[in-house]
Amino acid sequence: MAHHDSLGVAVIGAGRMGADHIRRITEVTSGAHVAAVVDVDTDRAKALAAGVGGCDAFDDVAEALASPEVDAVLLASPGIAHEAALLTAFDHDLPVLCEKPLTPDAASALRVLEAEQRLGHRRVQVGFMRRYDREYVRLKALLDSGELGRTLMLHNRHRNPSCPPEFTSAMLINDSVTHEMDITRWLLGQEITAVTVMRPKPSGTAPEGLADPQFVVFETDGGALVDVEIYVNARYGYQVQAEAVCEYGSARIGDRHEMLVNREGRWGGSVTPGFVERFDEAYDREVQAWVDATRRGEVTGPGVWDGYAVAAVCEAGVRSLTEGRRVEVELVDRPALYS
Ligand code: ISE
């Protein structure tokens, strides 16, 4: 790879995230261009490729990744298709930015972990974009500085205005709380060892049968306690907040009081409508960091180990949700490649 001055990226998956990343690579970030668009829906792939220009459309991953124009892969297809695409990318030794989830379960994530070890070097950055959000970056720097002492607890709130119609109770864990799993491990530098999921009587705004909201508790190997309120039909907007409670102080992010307006006897600001708007800048910084690292021949950011560890925590979480008890997380030993 890296035969080109500008990195030729194959975007796999022409859905919401794929289309947004195509726009991002074309209009926002530098050092890369979209060289191929791949989707099982050929018309979608063709339509998006036509909008970019000088870019080929494919309906087959193997064919696209064999193209001499392709130096790197941005994987934005549904999670179920990730394992096969990742293994194909490994065959060509291509760098990958893989949207979350790495794969849908811990067993398949472990297979990817083993395949990357066979390759002998890291090739994958996983799309946990919160690590590139300025507020989370500042919170991590503060916690790492040790100024506030040890982190005792982390309180998280994660609210979406609404969820897609196909959302299931398990998806609140697998699709949404997955972000808090990654960010908790990253902020604290600890692994999650046990998960307990509780649920109040569901909101009247949630579709019939959906356990929404849920209240999730993580225990970590460093002795911290972490709670996550996940509520995906909160209606009023998209909000993600976190508060670290430490020995000598606390720090909170996500209030986003960017502009306060006083008008007609009220004061206040606005709430972002969705995650695309809330994390817009984080996605830009994530993709730019991936392009820059790839052009230097490096892999940075969250990797396959993180994707695997989060998949294992998700599995414990879904079991806790269905069995109504605390479930311990089972992890293999961390391989040397990821130390
Ligand atoms: C979605 O898949 C995401 O990744 C968003 O960040 C999250 O807020 C949302 O709940 C998920 O469905």
Side-chain angles (χ1 to χ4, degrees):
M1 71 113 233
H3 342 84
H4 305 107
D5 258 1
S6 161
L7 196 72
V9 178
V11 176
I12 302 178
R16 176 178 182 165
M17 287 311 295
D20 198 40
H21 284 315
I22 290 170
R23 174 196 59 80
R24 178 164 288 111
I25 291 171
T26 309
E27 295 173 13
V28 184
T29 58
S30 61
H33 62 277
V34 179
V37 179
V38 194
D39 200 287
V40 282
D41 180 343
T42 324
D43 291 338
R44 268 201 75 85
K46 279 189 184 151
L48 280 171
V52 173
C55 160
D56 296 318
F58 296 85
D59 62 7
D60 181 63
V61 171
E63 211 182 303
L65 301 198
S67 158
E69 301 304 318
V70 170
D71 304 314
V73 180
L74 197 161
L75 188 50
S77 53
I80 190 82
H82 286 186
E83 182 181 3
L86 285 164
L87 297 182
T88 307
F90 291 169
D91 286 342
H92 296 274
D93 202 12
L94 291 169
V96 185
L97 174 56
C98 176
E99 266 301 337
K100 45 81 54 174
L102 177 66
T103 64
D105 54 57
S108 52
L110 189 57
R111 289 196 292 273
V112 173
L113 190 80
E114 285 161 355
E116 198 179 41
Q117 286 174 83
R118 280 197 298 278
L119 198 60
H121 45 242
R122 289 183 48 191
R123 270 292 177 241
V124 183
Q125 176 179 329
V126 179
F128 289 124
M129 78 298 183
R130 288 195 191 176
R131 295 194 190 194
Y132 297 87
D133 174 72
R134 282 182 197 282
E135 289 185 278
Y136 273 113
V137 168
R138 285 184 67 186
L139 178 59
K140 177 158 175 63
L142 177 63
L143 299 183
D144 283 351
S145 76
E147 250 174 79
L148 302 185
R150 190 161 46 82
T151 304
L152 309 168
M153 289 182 288
L154 197 59
H155 304 299
N156 300 281
R157 279 182 286 275
H158 184 168
R159 298 182 188 144
N160 292 203
S162 62
C163 65
E166 70 276 10
F167 231 65
T168 62
S169 299
M171 284 175 78
L172 274 79
I173 303 291
N174 287 331
D175 212 56
S176 305
V177 179
T178 183
H179 286 291
E180 276 78 16
M181 294 171 188
D182 177 67
I183 215 69
T184 292
R185 299 174 57 258
W186 182 69
L187 283 174
L188 303 183
Q190 298 168 14
E191 291 296 354
I192 296 168
T193 51
V195 187
T196 308
V197 179
M198 284 170 272
R199 34 167 140 177
K201 181 174 175 184
S203 169
T205 60
E208 186 67 35
L210 190 73
D212 182 31
Q214 296 175 19
F215 187 82
V216 183
V217 178
F218 305 144
E219 295 160 54
T220 74
D221 60 5
L225 264 192
V226 177
D227 61 85
V228 186
E229 174 216 293
I230 177 67
Y231 182 19
V232 299
N233 286 280
R235 290 296 178 264
Y236 69 87
Y238 184 85
Q239 222 168 26
V240 166
Q241 298 173 329
E243 183 182 29
V245 181
C246 307
E247 290 171 305
Y248 305 110
S250 69
R252 167 171 163 149
I253 60 157
D255 295 294
R256 294 177 63 92
H257 290 160
E258 284 173 352
M259 177 167 72
L260 293 180
V261 177
N262 300 296
R263 186 165 175 262
E264 293 181 345
R266 293 173 160 269
W267 67 270
S270 58
V271 181
T272 44
F275 57 87
V276 168
E277 296 81 5
R278 167 64 179 84
F279 288 110
D280 184 46
E281 214 204 11
Y283 286 119
D284 290 351
R285 286 156 49 98
E286 170 195 57
V287 173
Q288 189 66 66
W290 175 65
V291 169
D292 292 347
T294 301
R295 293 179 79 206
R296 293 194 308 268
E298 293 173 12
V299 178
T300 58
V304 171
W305 172 257
D306 303 294
Y308 159 72
V310 166
V313 179
C314 281
E315 237 166 66
V318 172
R319 268 180 59 201
S320 177
L321 173 71
T322 46
E323 296 173 17
R325 62 178 182 92
R326 171 183 177 275
V327 175
E328 289 185 3
V329 178
E330 287 171 35
L331 277 188
V332 299
D333 289 337
R334 190 173 175 133
L337 186 59
Y338 309 98
S339 56

